[in-house]
Amino acid sequence: MNSSPGSTYQPRPMSSRTAYILGGVAVVIIVAIVAYAMHSSSSNSQKVQEDGYGPVHDPAVSALLDSDGAIVLGKTNPAKTIDMYEDPLCPNCGSLEHYYGQQIAKEIDAGNLAVRYRMVNFLDSESGTKDYSTRAIAASDCVASAGDGPAFSKFHQALFTTKQPSEQGGSLSNDQLAAIAKDAGASEDVQQCIAKGDRVDEARDHAETAMTALKGAVGQVQTPTVLQGSTNVDLGSSTWVTSLSK
């Protein structure tokens, strides 16, 4: 009904049902805002450490393929050495390299740190070819066996970041792995070692050794895992690399 001129409009009282619905909508909006704020805060707190530094620069840094399959990257007599367990298909390993790889490279160049990369292959079955992790480990062994630290560092960085396949059905061929090694500065012999799959059987043995060592150290095969001696390094701290280097 229309109100007459001069009269005061009196809205009808809100029903309890309407109030309940509006209250529920308000709660949903508040929850969404809080969740967004928490996500933004978390995203902002995670940043690439030493962004722009890149892989190892110093030619005095060498790569050594140890008898147990570990790839040791560092200078002679480093201040500290850590063991880093990774699977080439592991997305969290890729994130670790993305956020901290350049900072690690800087500490290696400074002689503050050496890294023993212990590659495992428990994600083989998740790859499109069912053997990607093993072949990527074999490719890493080929690169490391040449002894060129900067080349291995550049190869490893690409393998775990820009060139890492999807965990769900992803893979790279041996020729693609060889091309990454070429871009990293590896020799023609190293590229052929990768393309021909020369170290695949050896890499499978190395991965098994690493998985046994990892399970013995922390009770399970979980990547990435970083150990300093027998201590499991807390990778949840954004300062874990600098803490190791002190």
Side-chain angles (χ1 to χ4, degrees):
M1 181 178 67
N2 293 331
S3 59
S4 60
S7 64
T8 303
Y9 174 69
Q10 297 290 337
R12 288 185 300 173
M14 184 183 297
S15 70
S16 59
R17 182 174 180 273
T18 302
Y20 178 80
I21 291 172
L22 292 176
V25 170
V27 169
V28 170
I29 292 173
I30 291 170
V31 169
I33 291 171
V34 171
Y36 176 79
M38 290 178 66
H39 174 74
S40 298
S41 175
S42 174
S43 299
N44 290 336
S45 66
Q46 183 80 318
K47 64 179 183 178
V48 176
Q49 304 297 314
E50 298 296 340
D51 193 16
Y53 186 84
V56 164
H57 302 163
D58 195 336
V61 175
S62 64
L64 170 67
L65 181 58
D66 213 341
S67 58
D68 62 357
I71 296 171
V72 185
L73 183 67
K75 290 184 174 180
T76 304
N77 299 319
K80 292 181 181 177
T81 300
I82 58 174
D83 288 85
M84 185 175 292
Y85 289 85
E86 304 174 312
D87 187 305
L89 201 61
C90 161
N92 287 340
C93 299
S95 294
L96 188 74
E97 179 65 28
H98 172 71
Y99 287 112
Y100 298 102
Q102 296 180 77
Q103 188 176 36
I104 291 170
K106 184 176 181 179
E107 297 299 335
I108 290 174
D109 275 339
N112 296 327
L113 199 63
V115 180
R116 286 170 48 86
Y117 292 101
R118 306 295 302 271
M119 305 272 192
V120 298
N121 63 352
F122 72 100
L123 291 176
D124 257 347
S125 61
E126 299 297 322
S127 68
T129 56
K130 307 302 180 186
D131 67 349
Y132 171 72
S133 293
T134 298
R135 290 187 297 102
I137 295 169
S140 298
D141 289 354
C142 287
V143 177
S145 65
D148 187 331
F152 174 80
S153 180
K154 189 174 181 179
F155 176 79
H156 181 270
Q157 186 179 87
L159 192 70
F160 279 86
T161 55
T162 57
K163 303 298 183 180
Q164 188 182 48
S166 166
E167 183 184 14
Q168 301 301 321
S171 187
L172 296 174
S173 68
N174 285 349
D175 285 341
Q176 288 174 311
L177 289 167
I180 297 171
K182 180 180 180 180
D183 289 343
S187 68
E188 179 66 28
D189 287 345
V190 168
Q191 295 171 49
Q192 288 300 310
C193 173
I194 297 171
K196 294 178 180 178
D198 287 348
R199 291 183 176 267
V200 169
D201 290 338
E202 181 182 88
R204 192 172 287 110
D205 291 338
H206 289 166
E208 185 176 347
T209 299
M211 284 196 287
T212 299
L214 178 57
K215 191 170 183 179
V218 299
Q220 60 184 331
V221 175
Q222 176 178 309
T223 58
T225 293
V226 177
L227 300 177
Q228 183 186 8
S230 59
T231 302
N232 196 347
V233 176
D234 178 14
L235 302 180
S237 168
S238 62
T239 60
W240 70 269
V241 177
T242 52
S243 296
L244 286 171
S245 305
K246 290 179 181 178

